[in-house]
Amino acid sequence: MPTDPSADQARAAIQAALGQIGFALPGTITIRRARCGKPRCACAADPPALHGPYIQWTRTVHGKTVTRLLTPAQYQAYAPWFASARRLRELAAELEALSLAEMARAEGWAKITPGTPAPPRTRPVRGPNPNYPEPPETPGDQPA
Ligand SMILES: [Zn+2]
């Protein structure tokens, strides 16, 4: 079937952006300060002087949550790798939404429901793509 030229253009743009992705680390970073629990420690004083900051890297390995502490230097060095993974997830969601819209257009379906919502954007990387619409808010598929 012939592909819609604007959809093909949007696909090419996503492909080009995917080609720019470097190393990509999974998981999330949480920075926290903590109390140790010792009653005479400064962290128990009022006002408390908390320990940390602790830079926690949390990810899932074979269904289990794995946490590792990063040094500030490690966090600085690998922050772009975490950003790359976020960008990769955004682009994958964009490509899937585009593919769903293109399939619906090619098949003459009025609407199609995306199976997986796009991950929340943590930072704007570029403006919205005017070449194709966002996935619909409400399901449009007919029940089986
Ligand atoms: Zn303490």
Side-chain angles (χ1 to χ4, degrees), residues 58-105:
T58 304
R59 63 200 168 105
T60 304
V61 180
H62 302 304
K64 285 184 175 176
T65 300
V66 175
T67 297
R68 177 182 283 268
L69 289 180
L70 300 184
T71 65
Q74 286 170 330
Y75 177 55
Q76 284 245 314
Y78 296 101
W81 295 20
F82 288 106
S84 288
R86 284 195 298 273
R87 183 78 181 118
L88 189 58
R89 289 192 290 270
E90 288 169 5
L91 290 168
E94 281 183 37
L95 185 57
E96 287 181 356
L98 174 67
S99 301
L100 286 166
E102 183 55 14
M103 183 188 192
R105 187 204 59 80

Side-chain angles (χ1 to χ4, degrees), residues 36 41 43 51:
C36 66
C41 185
C43 70
H51 300 278

Side-chain angles (χ1 to χ4, degrees), residues 34-45 49-51 54:
R35 288 183 166 88
C36 66
K38 292 175 189 163
R40 291 175 184 273
C41 185
C43 70
L50 298 178
H51 300 278
Y54 300 106

